[in-house]
Amino acid sequence: MEFNNAYCSDKYQYTMGKSFFESGFKDRTAIFNLFYRKAPENNNWAVVSGVDEVMEMVSNLGKMPAGFFEKFLPGDENAEYREYLSGMKFTGNIYAMREGEIAFPNQPVIIVEGPMIEAQVLETPMLCIMNHQMAVATKASRVCRATNKPVSEFGSRRAHGPWAAVYGAKAAIIAGCANTSNILTGTLFGCGSTGTMAHSYVTSFGCSVSGEYHAFDTYIKTHKGEALILLVDTYDTLKCGVLNAIRAYKDNGIDDSYPLMYGIRLDSGDLAYLSTECRRILDDHGLKECKIFATNSLDEYIISDLERQGACIDSYGVGDAIATSKANPCFGNVYKLVQIDSEPVLKRSEDKVKLINPGFQITYRIMKHDEEAGNIFKADVTCLRGDSLSRKIEAGETFTIYDEYDRYKFKTFEAGTYTASALQSQVIEQGEICCVRHTLAEKKAYYDRTLSHFSPSERRLINPHYYKVDISDDLYDTKMEIINRLSKEIHEFHI
């Protein structure tokens, strides 16, 4: 059977859909927001990835025959519903942040506007795509921010399946990784792939010191004219590995005049000590441009510590920490109804953190110019589309934003002192993709530019300074009016 990711869904999307279908609710206009409430690992923010795959998924809706739906909606009572579903395509509008965007809690990453039943069934596959890729992208961002050295993504063998390996590597590159080992990612996204050798390659030439040299010599001879990296810790890094690498390089005429990168890889042991000793040995033999590449269960904390210790490492390879977002593998995007027809709605919960912002929203990012630091992002504010604050921002007028939880905290932006940009733009119009599609390199460059406009204190890994994120007065008032009305109704309710 064809694998159609639009139907990688939960059954309850379709049990709810039947109620909408039979009650006449299916064509009511719904607006859903996809957003997250809290970034993992005490991050200040998260990195957006997966929007292109969401658009492709949405385009796949309505491409399965009625017989497919009979497998989970059997019986004559579902026959008419099955027939409807087999031809049900998405006909609404979708607005989304760009891939590579930096998103803060409660901001709409994706906004879906469309007929109720069409919008509802997108929930599970959309969350599946976005939660995976944003988890990987956000972790990759953390790892890459731990160093100014290149980081390679090497996690395919630890990823949760082939799909996760391919698109996780794509997400990692958007959020800072220099490259990936995954050849399918490299082929699909035009970013190439990188790789050298495993320990099995070295031992296949015989479990001996001379076999190690033969392995290196053969590798150089079969890959001369390419970047060269030799794995030197199969037997003993300092007593034979690095020495065999030096010998093999020199015997093949490889030295600092080699036009491409050449180096060694360390995959075990005390990387700070070994890298420092290897650097000394390489330099003593005249191979000052020979690079040292380090792997071995690295993450942002280990890399930060290696950097603090002054490790002589030129590049890092990170696997499962990125590919599985190991420390926090489940990202928290949710998909919530915020408006039905023209009525804003919200989910009210005993748990205050689950209270959501209602209505059709748009988020603005405010930038100011600093004489020393250049253009710096100063605040984000989410408005109801077309509300009074939204109109002021669009017109470049003076405006004030207030902290949602402490109304005595506020900030005023004077006309002419700021620029503003909307973070969500339309990507699907009446069911058809309508946006410019960006290459992976363009997404990565967009992330890099965006990151550069945040202050260093907001980019740090430990105890980051929290960036100002607020909502408009009209959105705040709308939310509070709904909450107060609900509270009154609940208090007065009885049977």
Side-chain angles (χ1 to χ4, degrees):
M1 182 175 63
E2 176 190 353
F3 183 87
N4 183 330
N5 63 355
Y7 299 99
C8 180
S9 193
D10 294 307
K11 187 173 179 179
Y12 84 151
Q13 308 294 359
Y14 288 88
T15 57
M16 288 187 287
K18 187 183 181 188
S19 295
F20 296 142
F21 177 72
E22 294 190 354
S23 66
F25 269 47
K26 68 179 179 65
D27 293 322
R28 295 185 70 184
T29 300
I31 297 176
F32 284 86
N33 280 359
L34 182 146
F35 63 95
Y36 71 94
R37 296 185 174 104
K38 187 176 187 298
E41 299 185 77
N42 294 315
N43 274 324
N44 201 358
W45 38 260
V47 181
V48 176
S49 182
V51 175
D52 276 6
E53 285 69 44
V54 162
M55 290 190 289
E56 292 164 9
M57 176 275 293
V58 170
S59 299
N60 287 333
L61 198 67
K63 293 183 178 179
M64 300 299 283
F68 164 76
F69 299 95
E70 192 168 8
K71 297 179 186 298
F72 62 94
L73 294 168
D76 291 343
E77 67 274 19
N78 287 315
E80 185 180 358
Y81 181 42
R82 291 195 301 267
E83 194 63 34
Y84 171 79
L85 290 175
S86 67
M88 186 188 78
K89 297 182 180 296
F90 182 73
T91 59
N93 305 309
I94 294 181
Y95 307 81
M97 292 185 181
R98 278 188 62 171
E99 293 199 69
E101 188 62 85
I102 288 173
F104 289 86
N106 299 312
Q107 296 176 339
V109 176
I110 298 178
I111 301 168
V112 177
E113 177 192 28
M116 183 70 206
I117 189 171
E118 297 173 16
Q120 180 67 68
V121 300
L122 296 178
E123 176 181 11
T124 300
M126 188 178 292
L127 286 173
C128 178
I129 292 167
M130 296 301 295
N131 278 333
H132 167 247
Q133 291 199 36
M134 287 184 66
V136 174
T138 304
K139 184 65 171 182
S141 172
R142 287 181 60 82
V143 172
C144 293
R145 282 183 284 126
T147 177
N148 59 7
K149 314 287 180 53
V151 175
S152 298
E153 186 280 322
F154 280 2
S156 292
R157 67 187 61 195
R158 304 284 191 242
H160 299 154
W163 189 95
V166 171
Y167 291 100
K170 167 229 168 181
I173 288 176
I174 288 174
C177 284
N179 48 48
T180 177
S181 63
N182 191 287
I183 59 173
L184 194 51
T185 302
T187 301
L188 288 173
F189 297 101
C191 60
S193 52
T194 186
T196 56
M197 64 178 66
H199 293 107
S200 60
Y201 172 80
V202 177
T203 58
S204 71
F205 285 82
C207 192
S208 64
V209 174
S210 61
E212 182 180 53
Y213 168 78
H214 188 31
F216 293 166
D217 181 66
T218 302
Y219 188 86
I220 294 169
K221 283 181 166 58
T222 53
H223 292 278
K224 205 165 184 179
E226 305 172 19
L228 299 169
I229 297 287
L230 305 179
L231 179 60
V232 299
D233 73 326
T234 304
Y235 304 126
D236 189 294
T237 298
L238 299 179
K239 292 181 179 178
C240 64
V242 68
L243 299 176
N244 267 328
I246 291 168
R247 179 185 168 199
Y249 276 137
K250 289 192 170 184
D251 287 352
N252 286 277
I254 304 295
D255 56 23
D256 287 354
S257 65
Y258 189 64
L260 301 173
M261 188 268 290
Y262 76 107
I264 62 171
R265 176 162 73 98
L266 304 174
D267 189 50
S268 60
D270 184 335
L271 295 178
Y273 169 73
L274 290 173
S275 66
T276 301
E277 287 300 297
C278 284
R279 182 75 273 154
R280 179 184 60 79
I281 294 169
L282 291 165
D283 288 353
D284 286 347
H285 285 81
L287 302 183
K288 297 181 183 296
E289 296 300 318
C290 184
K291 304 301 183 185
I292 299 176
F293 187 65
T295 53
N296 188 24
S297 300
L298 301 177
D299 61 17
E300 67 268 43
Y301 303 106
I302 295 173
I303 291 173
S304 292
D305 200 46
L306 288 168
E307 297 278 296
R308 181 186 60 80
Q309 295 177 65
C312 296
I313 296 170
D314 298 293
S315 186
Y316 296 92
V318 181
D320 53 358
I322 288 177
T324 67
S325 185
K326 191 174 182 178
N328 201 321
C330 183
F331 196 83
N333 278 319
V334 294
Y335 185 85
K336 298 299 180 183
L337 183 68
V338 296
Q339 186 165 303
I340 187 72
D341 292 331
S342 58
E343 179 187 357
V345 297
L346 55 76
K347 175 186 183 296
R348 179 184 182 274
S349 175
E350 302 291 339
D351 191 347
K352 288 182 69 175
V353 75
K354 291 193 171 183
L355 182 65
I356 70 172
N357 293 326
F360 193 8
Q361 299 159 34
I362 187 168
T363 305
Y364 297 96
R365 180 157 292 161
I366 311 303
M367 178 188 283
K368 296 188 74 173
H369 183 75
D370 182 276
E371 290 297 329
E372 294 182 1
N375 292 326
I376 298 294
F377 294 138
K378 303 302 291 185
D380 284 9
V381 58
T382 298
C383 306
L384 293 169
R385 289 182 177 241
D387 73 10
S388 58
L389 180 56
S390 176
R391 293 195 301 272
K392 285 184 178 181
I393 292 173
E394 293 279 0
E397 298 173 3
T398 297
F399 69 92
T400 301
I401 53 176
Y402 295 86
D403 188 291
E404 180 180 355
Y405 303 104
D406 185 349
R407 305 304 279 177
Y408 292 100
K409 292 181 179 179
F410 61 90
K411 185 171 182 64
T412 298
F413 293 88
E414 299 290 343
T417 68
Y418 69 89
T419 58
S421 57
L423 298 188
Q424 302 89 4
S425 59
Q426 190 161 12
V427 296
I428 290 182
E429 182 177 9
Q430 296 182 350
E432 301 294 330
I433 296 173
C434 63
C435 62
V436 174
R437 305 293 287 271
H438 298 283
T439 67
L440 186 57
E442 289 171 335
K443 295 171 186 177
K444 179 180 175 65
Y446 180 79
Y447 163 78
D448 289 339
R449 287 196 307 274
T450 300
L451 184 64
S452 71
H453 292 302
F454 286 96
S455 73
S457 65
E458 291 157 353
R459 300 198 298 262
R460 66 191 177 212
L461 298 178
I462 307 299
N463 294 324
H465 177 77
Y466 277 85
Y467 177 76
K468 192 170 185 59
V469 178
D470 289 316
I471 61 175
S472 69
D473 286 351
D474 289 346
L475 177 50
Y476 177 83
D477 291 344
T478 298
K479 179 159 73 168
M480 295 311 299
E481 189 277 327
I482 296 171
I483 292 169
N484 292 336
R485 175 171 49 79
L486 272 173
S487 296
K488 182 175 184 295
E489 289 181 13
I490 292 167
H491 178 71
E492 295 173 352
F493 180 75
H494 64 275
I495 57 173

